[in-house]
Amino acid sequence: PRRHHLGVECLRGSIATIHSILQHSLCPENIFFHFLVSETNLETLVRSTFPQLKFKVYFFNPEIVRNLISSSVRQALEQPLNYTQNYLADLLEPCVRRVIYLDYDLVVIEDISKL
């Protein structure tokens, strides 16, 4: 299983990441994505972009962590979606046994199924 956190501001990068994973996978039909989103309309957008993609969307309420984040030098670190990986065990179904956390700003150049 693969996991992404999606916000509108990082959707373009996430699409590039997904595409690179599928392109370099020996068996793309075996890849299942779990997306954590903060906006409910993103599921439709992902489905229209990748109609054959196997995935499930989980809503992450940014208010859960908003008051726990201190000011930092890098404003990007103050975004609630940066902390979704800390809540994976609470959000994903118990049957999900393996997760590879992927951020939205990477491109995969080899098959990640061996990870």
Side-chain angles (χ1 to χ4, degrees), residues 36-38 58-69 78-81 83-88 90-91:
L36 301 180
V37 300
S38 61
Y58 303 83
F59 178 73
F60 178 77
N61 182 354
E63 297 305 316
I64 292 172
V65 296
R66 195 172 307 279
N67 292 329
L68 302 174
I69 301 171
E78 297 176 19
Q79 301 305 314
L81 282 177
Y83 301 93
T84 56
Q85 65 269 27
N86 297 323
Y87 294 88
L88 286 176
D90 298 327
L91 295 168

Side-chain angles (χ1 to χ4, degrees), residues 28-35 50-56:
E29 66 277 3
N30 293 337
I31 297 177
F32 193 96
F33 289 84
H34 298 270
F35 294 104
F50 295 100
Q52 304 301 323
L53 191 67
K54 294 187 291 185
F55 70 93
K56 182 167 182 171

Side-chain angles (χ1 to χ4, degrees), residues 3-35:
R3 204 246 359 131
H4 276 283
H5 63 82
L6 291 179
V8 171
E9 67 280 354
C10 64
L11 186 60
R12 187 180 343 183
S14 295
I15 289 171
T17 300
I18 294 165
H19 184 266
S20 69
I21 291 167
L22 296 174
Q23 181 180 14
H24 295 287
S25 174
L26 294 175
C27 298
E29 66 277 3
N30 293 337
I31 297 177
F32 193 96
F33 289 84
H34 298 270
F35 294 104

